[in-house]
């Protein structure tokens, strides 16, 4: 399966599953973004370990996740659950999972497919847990055993066969401590208020057993590495307060990198070295001419069918506009020029006129290219795509701007040196020299911008990516355009990355800023925001994304842009 088709299929599966969750839970505004369910811009907590899908899992895993989340939204009183939820991490983890099991036990008999999806999803998670080796630790085995036997009792389902032998001894010891509560859980699964006290008792008993075990091991064995429990811990970090995950551990935290967000919001340590440059000014004229010849050869070899692409873009961007009047109608507005015919022939009825509309492309498209190091291997292909898009948009009657973003240095450059001289203050914000590139301005016709487009082949332009600031800059430029419709398309292979900034502030600073900027653009609505991805995923940041396969013929890849754009809100031409 090609990259484009694989990612597109994943997006399609997420759209279908989100529709299923909306239908089952009767909750509007639910969408999957970045492999996680969101209500608008807010992530919906994944309350139990088996509902946390890993990005590398197949789309089929999402079906059970979606059904489980839908049942939790409909079958659990979130306010009651929040009041009763314990604070301790282990107690909270188990209490959340037990409430999820109660919700899943209430699957209507008319929905056997939902029950089957849930069984498959839990079995896949349990097998992954066993394969990870976590069940070989005392802490992991006790938690896993508690989750397995509680689910089996509440749902009346057998334990996964592969888990029978590993949990046998621990199940016997645990069953003697919580047997009465397990029976009560099964008995009261239809009544959340009666069920909750027994769920709390189970959670506290298991937490106490873990403390006892930790006390016995203290001084004799090294503590277990908490970061290994990714299959139990909620990596979501963002909750809305309703059933949020029990324990959180971000990937960056597990790796030991700083992740404390800046309490004052996103900022730059210094802007003294920031630049906005014409891309062509950074390339010697002789080299630019060589790049242009190379780009022309690539485009000629691929024959991208620019005229056909222009028609597709026009169909998406054009909207009906007034274009005079059509006379000789039998209804409409009286046409004064036809009154003489009415005098001569009183029976004449074709004396009216109606407004005539023709499709007009009153649109502006800005392409914002990520010029980070990971995009360097694709630069020739991307430059050819942008060249074709610019020419096709001009043929379609739309204006087009092409911008790029990178940094003027690796590893922070002069900005980081200033920070070091200042004594390394905590949470300094962005630590690099921002470089914004103007490849083609909207007012410059394609024929004059051809050489500047070839400047994108210059390899040393591609360094690091401050995507949030670049998106903000490009949106400001687009919003000033006079066209009635303004579109901004980010072409990137993933989220932002700047080594110096991430090392000191944590990756969350750049990621959080990009999400904030994208959310602001989408909410304001003055500019339509789209993402075109190159072997990556932007869905965690942008609502509308599409994947490109750069290995496909240029004519095929170029059509991803019109396919991604919404039709004109005023109707198609």
């Amino acid at each position: 399966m090609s990259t484009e088709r694989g990612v597109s299929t994943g997006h399609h599966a997420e759209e279908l599953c989100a529709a299923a969750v909306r239908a089952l839970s009767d909750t509007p505004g639910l969408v999957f973004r970045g492999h996680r369910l969101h209500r608008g811009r807010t992530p919906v907590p994944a309350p139990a370990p088996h509902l946390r899908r890993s990005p590398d899992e197949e789309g089929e895993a999402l079906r059970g996740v979606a059904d489980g989340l839908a049942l939790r939204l409909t079958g659990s009183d979130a306010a009651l659950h929040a009041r009763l939820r314990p604070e301790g991490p282990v107690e909270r983890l188990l209490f959340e999972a037990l409430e999820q099991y109660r919700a899943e036990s209430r699957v209507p008999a008319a929905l056997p497919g939902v029950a089957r999806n849930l069984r498959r999803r839990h079995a896949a998670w349990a097998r992954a847990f066993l394969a990870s080796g976590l069940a070989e630790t005392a802490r992991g085995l006790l938690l896993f055993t508690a989750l397995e036997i509680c689910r089996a009792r509440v749902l009346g389902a057998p334990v996964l066969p592969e888990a029978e032998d590993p949990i046998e001894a621990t199940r016997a010891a645990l069953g003697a401590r919580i047997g009465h509560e397990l029976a009560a859980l099964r008995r009261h699964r239809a009544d959340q208020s009666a069920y909750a006290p027994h769920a709390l008792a189970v959670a506290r008993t298991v937490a106490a057993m873990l403390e006892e075990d930790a006390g016995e091991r203290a001084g004799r064995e090294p503590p277990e590495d908490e970061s290994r429990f990714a299959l139990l811990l909620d990596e979501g970090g963002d909750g809305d307060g309703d059933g949020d995950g029990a324990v959180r551990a971000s990937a960056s935290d597990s790796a030991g990198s700083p992740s404390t967000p800046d309490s004052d919001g996103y900022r730059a340590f210094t802007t003294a070295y920031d630049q906005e440059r014409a891309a062509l000014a950074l390339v010697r004229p002789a080299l630019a001419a060589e790049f242009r010849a190379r780009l022309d050869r690539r485009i000629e070899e691929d024959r991208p069918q620019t005229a056909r692409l222009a028609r597709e873009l026009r169909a998406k961007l054009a909207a009906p506009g007034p274009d005079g009047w059509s006379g000789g109608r039998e209804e409409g507005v009286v046409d004064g020029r036809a009154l003489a015919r009415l005098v001569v022939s009183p029976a004449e009825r074709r004396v009216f006129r109606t407004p005539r509309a023709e499709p007009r492309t009153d649109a502006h498209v800005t392409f914002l290219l990520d010029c980070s190091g990971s995009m360097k291997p694709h630069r020739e292909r991307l430059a050819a795509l942008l060249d074709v898009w610019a020419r096709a948009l001009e043929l379609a009657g739309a204006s087009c701007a092409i911008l790029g973003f990178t940094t003027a240095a690796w590893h922070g450059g002069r900005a980081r040196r200033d920070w070091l001289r200042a004594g390394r203050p905590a949470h300094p914000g962005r630590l690099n020299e921002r470089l914004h590139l103007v490849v083609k301005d909207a007012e410059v016709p394609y024929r004059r911008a051809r050489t500047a487009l070839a400047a994108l082949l210059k390899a040393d332009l591609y360094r690091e990516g401050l995507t949030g600031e670049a998106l903000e800059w490009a949106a400001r430029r687009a919003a000033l355009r006079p066209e009635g419709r303004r579109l901004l398309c980010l072409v990137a292979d993933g989220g932002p990355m700047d080594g110096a900034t991430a090392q000191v502030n944590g990756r969350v600073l750049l990621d959080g800023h990009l999400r904030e900027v994208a959310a602001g653009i989408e909410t304001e609505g003055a500019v339509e925001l789209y993402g075109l991805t190159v072997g990556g995923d932007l869905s965690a940041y942008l609502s509308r994304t599409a994947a490109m396969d750069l290995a496909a013929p240029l004519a095929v890849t170029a059509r991803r842009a019109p396919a991604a754009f919404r039709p004109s809100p005023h109707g198609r031409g």
Side-chain angles (χ1 to χ4, degrees):
M1 179 182 291
S2 68
T3 302
E4 178 183 5
R5 184 172 179 183
V7 177
S8 298
T9 302
H11 286 316
H12 184 58
E14 290 188 343
E15 290 174 0
L16 292 176
C17 287
V21 178
R22 292 193 296 269
L24 287 170
S25 65
D26 194 24
T27 304
L30 294 172
V31 294
F32 275 98
R33 301 179 61 193
H35 311 293
R36 186 165 188 176
L37 188 67
H38 285 66
R39 184 185 289 117
R41 304 290 307 187
T42 306
V44 174
H50 67 282
L51 297 185
R52 294 163 203 149
R53 175 194 172 208
S54 172
D56 57 353
E57 289 185 276
E58 294 294 333
E60 186 176 348
L62 192 61
R63 296 169 63 184
V65 172
D67 290 341
L69 292 173
L71 290 169
R72 182 62 176 267
L73 289 170
T74 56
S76 180
D77 183 336
L80 173 63
H81 181 77
R83 287 199 303 272
L84 299 174
R85 185 171 52 210
E87 292 299 323
V90 174
E91 294 98 319
R92 191 172 178 182
L93 166 68
L94 290 166
F95 187 70
E96 292 283 358
L98 288 171
E99 177 58 18
Q100 179 63 35
Y101 297 155
R102 190 190 70 80
E104 292 181 9
S105 73
R106 308 285 293 160
V107 176
L111 299 175
V114 171
R116 182 173 61 253
N117 291 340
L118 291 170
R119 286 196 301 272
R120 288 177 177 174
R121 176 61 201 151
H122 181 268
W125 174 83
R127 292 189 182 100
F129 189 94
L130 292 171
S132 71
L134 290 173
E136 298 172 6
T137 68
R139 182 182 180 83
L141 182 60
L142 180 55
L143 286 171
F144 181 71
T145 302
L147 290 169
E148 283 296 291
I149 66 174
C150 287
R151 182 182 182 277
R153 182 59 65 92
V154 174
L155 274 72
V159 172
L160 185 73
E162 296 94 316
E164 289 280 2
D165 289 343
I167 70 172
E168 182 178 2
T170 308
R171 177 167 53 180
L174 186 58
R177 302 275 293 265
I178 63 171
H180 173 73
E181 306 299 346
L182 283 176
L185 289 176
R186 174 73 179 174
R187 190 167 57 250
H188 295 297
R189 61 192 175 129
D191 183 350
Q192 183 177 351
S193 58
Y195 177 93
H198 301 288
L200 278 170
V202 170
R204 287 168 178 156
T205 299
V206 174
M209 293 177 69
L210 286 172
E211 289 181 3
E212 292 170 7
D213 182 72
E216 293 175 2
R217 293 171 180 271
R220 294 189 293 110
E221 298 179 12
E224 292 175 4
D225 182 5
E226 295 286 343
S227 67
R228 298 181 62 214
F229 287 86
L231 287 169
L232 286 177
L233 307 181
D234 183 3
E235 299 186 355
D238 293 321
D240 60 2
D242 294 335
D244 199 1
V247 186
R248 297 193 183 107
S250 70
S252 59
D253 292 339
S254 299
S257 62
S259 63
T260 304
D262 186 354
S263 60
D264 297 328
Y266 183 86
R267 65 172 183 266
F269 181 74
T270 178
T271 59
Y273 311 109
D274 294 352
Q275 302 176 62
E276 180 180 322
R277 302 285 302 277
L280 188 57
L282 302 175
V283 185
R284 290 184 292 105
L287 185 59
E290 180 184 327
F291 285 157
R292 183 65 242 184
R294 178 171 151 194
L295 196 56
D296 285 338
R297 288 194 297 272
R298 162 57 72 95
I299 294 172
E300 179 62 27
E301 289 171 3
D302 285 357
R303 301 183 181 276
Q305 303 175 1
T306 309
R308 176 184 177 184
L309 179 61
R311 290 194 297 271
E312 294 179 0
L313 285 166
R314 184 176 175 82
K316 280 294 181 76
L317 301 176
D323 188 48
W325 296 84
S326 295
R329 306 295 182 181
E330 293 189 357
E331 60 182 11
V333 180
V334 174
D335 188 352
R337 296 171 300 177
L339 291 179
R341 293 203 308 270
L342 185 61
V343 173
V344 175
S345 178
E348 177 63 58
R349 298 177 56 87
R350 292 173 296 177
V351 294
F352 300 93
R353 62 176 183 168
T354 56
R356 183 173 61 241
E358 290 292 333
R360 297 181 182 276
T361 308
D362 182 25
H364 167 78
V365 181
T366 296
F367 290 102
L368 177 63
L369 178 64
D370 175 10
C371 296
S372 59
S374 57
M375 297 282 277
K376 181 165 42 175
H378 312 299
R379 64 188 186 280
E380 185 173 326
R381 191 72 169 173
L382 289 169
L385 276 172
L386 291 167
D387 186 285
V388 171
W389 283 331
R391 187 177 178 193
L393 283 165
E394 188 170 289
L395 292 174
S399 65
C400 171
I402 297 174
L403 309 175
F405 65 95
T406 181
T407 56
W410 287 99
H411 311 303
R414 291 169 290 181
R416 184 174 182 275
R417 287 200 292 271
D418 286 357
W419 172 72
L420 292 172
R421 293 189 189 105
R424 306 188 182 203
H427 310 308
R430 188 247 295 170
L431 281 179
N432 211 326
E433 306 174 30
R434 185 186 68 195
L435 177 57
H436 289 165
L437 303 172
V438 179
V439 182
K440 177 189 179 299
D441 210 337
E443 305 295 343
V444 178
Y446 166 77
R447 60 182 177 80
R448 285 175 46 201
R450 293 179 72 255
T451 305
L453 281 162
L456 293 172
L457 271 62
K458 192 170 189 288
D460 59 5
L461 287 180
Y462 294 78
R463 296 186 183 93
E464 302 189 78
L466 303 167
T467 316
E469 290 189 59
L471 200 61
E472 204 168 24
W473 166 65
R476 282 198 305 268
R477 290 175 58 102
L480 296 174
R481 294 296 305 167
E483 289 82 1
R485 188 177 179 195
R486 295 164 291 239
L487 300 86
L488 171 56
C489 187
L490 172 64
V491 183
D493 61 351
M497 186 60 210
D498 174 56
T501 301
Q503 183 179 15
V504 178
N505 301 273
R507 178 68 181 265
V508 69
L509 179 72
L510 296 174
D511 277 354
H513 184 237
L514 176 55
R515 287 192 180 93
E516 181 183 341
V517 170
I521 295 170
E522 292 177 348
T523 301
E524 184 177 347
V527 176
E528 298 176 27
L529 183 58
Y530 299 90
L532 291 175
T533 59
V534 181
D537 188 7
L538 289 171
S539 63
Y541 310 100
L542 279 63
S543 296
R544 294 186 289 261
T545 64
M548 297 190 300
D549 181 9
L550 295 184
L554 187 58
V556 174
T557 310
R559 297 175 66 188
R560 294 306 295 164
F565 297 156
R566 288 190 302 110
S568 170
H570 305 296
R572 296 184 62 175

